[in-house]
Amino acid sequence: MKFIVLLILLANPVFASEYRVVKDADRQRDIPIQISLPMDVSSCNAENQCPVAFLSSGYGVAYDKYSFISDALNKAGYLVVAIQHELPGDPALAVTGNLYAERSENWKRGATTLKFVRNQLQSEFSGYDFNKLTFVGHSNGGDISSWLLNEGVHFAETLITLDHRRVPLPRSGSSSVLSIRAGDFPADQGVLFTEQERVTFNACIVHFANSKHNDMTDFGPDWLKASISNALMSFISGKCLGADHA
């Protein structure tokens, strides 16, 4: 069956994806993931490794409902791994009290999951670079991704968040950062860079003033999905669209 799946993936690399479950025996967690291959898999090998992005969804959104992001990254040559963080039986995400303190266990658990999935896939996909990962995360998925970068891991060099609101962006200067912001809710104090920090870290902050936090998924309007994809592609090509966009 695995051989047949691989043949299908190679035959149709543009939209090819594989669903699987990786089992973390130590934590007794069965983690669903979706692996999407780049458009041109023939260019990815041990000598010329292609980039890898880990995609983390917002809380309550299925991990595979960001296909507009996966497709854009696949076309840019990325292997994309979309990861389901919340599993049946997990505690609900806190909505009252000190949210940073109350949600920190969720973010720690998600950061551990990202590290586990990397360890599980790295040897299997030798044509891809798991030592320079790009983390992409919407809302709580962006908080998880930021949390892991703040741990000072050595295997990630790029962070892209879609309107995450709780965990501060990394200030180490070792990661390239893009944060795309919606217009309906502000981030908590200290989460985003000050203007001086943005310049110091050469970060890119893009505001879509007419967008909504919950629309940054496959269910959002086409104009927003196209705008996010454009901002993301510009960023990975070394350009920042700018500070404010309607």
Side-chain angles (χ1 to χ4, degrees):
M1 176 62 70
K2 187 173 182 180
F3 179 70
I4 295 173
V5 169
L6 289 176
L7 285 178
I8 294 172
L9 292 177
L10 293 172
N12 187 20
V14 177
F15 301 105
S17 65
E18 175 191 354
Y19 287 86
R20 66 169 72 173
V21 174
V22 291
K23 298 180 180 293
D24 185 342
D26 290 341
R27 296 189 297 158
Q28 297 185 337
R29 294 182 69 80
D30 294 342
I31 305 163
I33 64 173
Q34 179 191 31
I35 302 170
S36 302
L37 296 177
M39 180 181 293
D40 182 12
V41 296
S42 64
S43 64
C44 305
N45 52 64
E47 291 72 36
N48 181 41
Q49 292 181 318
C50 290
V52 180
F54 279 11
L55 176 56
S56 297
S57 65
Y59 187 76
V61 183
Y63 64 110
D64 58 352
K65 299 307 180 186
Y66 297 84
S67 62
F68 71 103
I69 292 176
S70 294
D71 289 349
L73 288 169
N74 290 156
K75 291 175 183 177
Y78 282 71
L79 173 75
V80 180
V81 183
I83 301 167
Q84 179 66 46
H85 287 283
E86 284 73 43
L87 302 180
D90 285 349
L93 199 66
V95 295
T96 60
N98 182 332
L99 295 183
Y100 190 89
E102 295 294 332
R103 294 184 179 185
S104 61
E105 285 303 313
N106 176 286
W107 302 328
K108 291 176 184 177
R109 184 171 62 245
T112 300
T113 294
L114 291 175
K115 290 184 284 189
F116 176 79
V117 171
R118 172 184 177 268
N119 290 338
Q120 289 293 109
L121 298 182
Q122 185 173 21
S123 60
E124 177 181 353
F125 291 90
S126 59
Y128 301 88
D129 192 349
F130 283 80
N131 290 317
K132 297 178 182 178
L133 288 177
T134 293
F135 291 146
V136 184
H138 172 224
S139 191
N140 195 63
D143 288 323
I144 290 171
S145 303
S146 296
W147 185 279
L148 182 53
L149 264 295
N150 283 323
E151 289 184 355
V153 294
H154 65 279
F155 51 77
E157 64 174 18
T158 303
L159 172 65
I160 300 171
T161 74
L162 307 179
D163 212 45
H164 85 294
R165 297 167 56 201
R166 310 297 178 190
V167 178
L169 293 170
R171 263 72 172 180
S172 65
S174 60
S175 303
S176 179
V177 175
L178 164 66
S179 190
I180 298 174
R181 314 306 306 174
D184 50 350
F185 299 112
D188 289 350
Q189 185 175 3
V191 168
L192 302 180
F193 296 130
T194 65
E195 180 57 22
Q196 182 177 346
E197 287 175 327
R198 188 194 65 77
V199 173
T200 298
F201 299 127
N202 194 30
C204 183
I205 310 296
V206 179
H207 295 267
F208 294 108
N210 294 330
S211 66
K212 294 182 179 180
H213 177 86
N214 290 334
D215 283 346
M216 294 183 167
T217 72
D218 282 344
F219 305 110
D222 289 342
W223 74 264
L224 180 58
K225 290 183 287 188
S227 297
I228 291 172
S229 298
N230 187 36
L232 195 152
M233 290 298 97
S234 295
F235 177 71
I236 64 176
S237 68
K239 302 175 183 178
C240 180
L241 282 182
D244 292 280
H245 293 267

